[in-house]
Amino acid sequence: MFEKLTLKSIDARAALVPLRRPVVSKVGLFGDWPLVLIDLYTNEGIVGRSYLEPYLKNSARYIIPAIQDLAATQVGKPLAPLESFQANRRSLNLVGYEGVAMIAVSGVDMAIWDALAKAADLPLAALLGGTVGPVPAYNSNGLWLVDISVLSQEAEELVEEGGFKGLKLRLGRDHLGDDLVAIREVRKAASDDIKLMVDFNQGLPLGDALHRCHALDDQGLYWFEEPIAYDNLSGYVQLTRELKTPVQIGENFYGPRGLFEAVRSGASLPTEKSASPTRRNAYAFEERVRIRKRGRLFPGWHEIPVKSSRNSAGSAVFASEVPQ
């Protein structure tokens, strides 16, 4: 049993990290990657830490004040993540449960869990009921919508960076033929046992997505990720129904409600045909506890493979708790 912790203060600050391989995708061009670094100080001397990846560097201007406002209401109170999370959400419900509000709440929540794990002298994965060990991983730090001629060399580098058994390639070029060439170029450098998943970064309207994904459906790809806007669930129902390749969604969900609606609507099904929703950088650990509980409503939930993205530390924790 670990000691009771009470909140003293929270420090949140912005950082901008230069990317070795700039992001070139349908959602934009990013040469630097923004972070919000969070230090949660307790009166007992333990410091909990977390970080957020809000995509847009200017978003820190709005997220950090929200974090500071949340901290001001919790000073002197015990670190109780479930209660704090709900209280923080309720305090922001008039501005909405998604977007900046949820990102700020999640940053505080993850820092609380980190402090509790340190106080318990346990890895956070173990504190949350998981185990510590290897988890499957793919390398997505490249293979953007860059010149096709560099993809083969870049794929070789990505595999060698950590002995990865999977790569993610971004698709959605102006012409279908260019996407097919991009796939061939990557496979020149990747052995047959390398899983290749592709991500459209929500870049296609539904009609184009249906045409493009049907044309690529026999390419042996591991999944199609977010071909259309993340909240177009009726579109994902159609894609999931018509395609053989699994359809991956959920990176842009803000908590279990989005996941619940996706599974309930059939946009992501508890079968081997459809890859399950993912966590976003704005998910809090408390939300993941609720996701596990909510999943009991669906037969076969624990057989749904889950992939976890963004926030690397949080993703590793989450991946230790769910089917891969």
Side-chain angles (χ1 to χ4, degrees):
M1 190 66 184
F2 50 85
E3 62 179 306
K4 177 181 176 181
L5 300 179
T6 55
L7 178 63
K8 180 179 180 180
S9 64
I10 292 180
D11 176 56
R13 59 201 183 279
L16 202 58
V17 180
L19 295 176
R20 184 154 57 95
R21 298 186 184 97
V23 171
V24 183
S25 74
K26 287 292 187 179
V27 295
L29 170 64
F30 303 90
D32 301 297
W33 199 245
L35 300 174
V36 176
L37 308 178
I38 301 169
D39 295 325
L40 182 149
Y41 297 93
T42 67
N43 290 305
E44 293 71 29
I46 290 177
V47 181
R49 293 186 169 91
S50 66
Y51 66 93
L52 299 165
E53 300 177 65
Y55 296 97
L56 304 176
K57 62 181 180 181
N58 289 337
S59 63
R61 299 177 185 176
Y62 321 116
I63 295 171
I64 290 175
I67 291 172
Q68 293 168 339
D69 287 346
L70 293 172
T73 67
Q74 302 290 319
V75 171
K77 295 182 180 180
L79 297 191
L82 303 185
E83 291 81 359
S84 294
F85 183 83
Q86 290 305 318
N88 286 339
R89 286 181 81 239
R90 285 193 296 270
S91 73
L92 294 172
N93 64 356
L94 294 179
V95 295
Y97 282 137
E98 298 189 356
V100 170
M102 179 59 81
I103 293 173
V105 170
S106 299
V108 174
D109 179 82
M110 290 187 285
I112 290 175
W113 279 107
D114 185 59
L116 293 176
K118 289 175 178 176
D121 195 25
L122 287 172
L124 181 53
L127 184 67
L128 290 171
T131 56
V132 177
V135 295
Y138 62 89
N139 197 339
S140 64
N141 292 319
L143 303 182
W144 298 98
L145 296 178
V146 295
D147 192 300
I148 293 175
S149 64
V150 306
L151 290 177
S152 181
Q153 178 62 36
E154 195 167 282
E156 184 176 347
E157 294 171 359
L158 291 169
V159 170
E160 292 176 352
E161 281 180 0
F164 287 95
K165 297 299 182 182
L167 297 175
K168 186 194 283 188
L169 168 67
R170 278 69 179 189
L171 294 184
R173 289 171 169 81
D174 291 339
H175 303 288
L176 168 63
D178 290 335
D179 277 353
L180 288 166
V181 173
I183 292 170
R184 289 198 295 271
E185 286 299 308
V186 171
R187 285 191 164 140
K188 284 182 182 179
S191 60
D192 291 339
D193 62 338
I194 298 294
K195 297 180 175 68
L196 182 60
M197 50 282 294
V198 298
D199 190 345
F200 294 89
N201 293 113
Q202 308 179 66
L204 302 175
L206 178 58
D208 289 349
L210 286 165
H211 177 263
R212 185 70 56 102
C213 291
H214 274 296
L216 299 174
D217 212 11
D218 291 322
Q219 291 294 311
L221 300 169
Y222 199 64
W223 69 55
F224 295 134
E225 184 168 347
E226 290 192 330
I228 59 178
Y230 79 93
D231 57 352
N232 185 354
L233 295 186
S234 62
Y236 280 108
V237 170
Q238 186 173 356
L239 287 163
T240 298
R241 184 175 60 242
E242 294 187 16
L243 298 170
K244 296 180 295 182
T245 304
V247 178
Q248 180 69 270
I249 62 174
E251 181 176 330
N252 291 281
F253 290 167
Y254 290 87
R257 291 185 181 182
L259 181 145
F260 176 81
E261 292 300 331
V263 176
R264 184 171 67 174
S265 70
S268 186
L269 302 174
T271 69
E272 292 182 0
K273 182 178 184 294
S274 182
S276 74
T278 70
R279 71 167 288 277
R280 188 183 186 273
N281 60 307
Y283 270 29
F285 288 113
E286 196 273 344
E287 289 286 74
R288 281 172 254 168
V289 172
R290 290 179 176 271
I291 285 171
R292 289 203 303 259
K293 293 178 180 177
R294 186 70 62 87
R296 296 171 188 165
L297 298 175
F298 301 100
W301 169 264
H302 294 293
E303 282 69 51
I304 299 178
V306 173
K307 79 98 172 175
S308 193
S309 63
R310 292 299 170 207
N311 186 315
S312 300
S315 291
V317 172
F318 187 47
S320 71
E321 304 171 69
V322 297
Q324 301 299 305

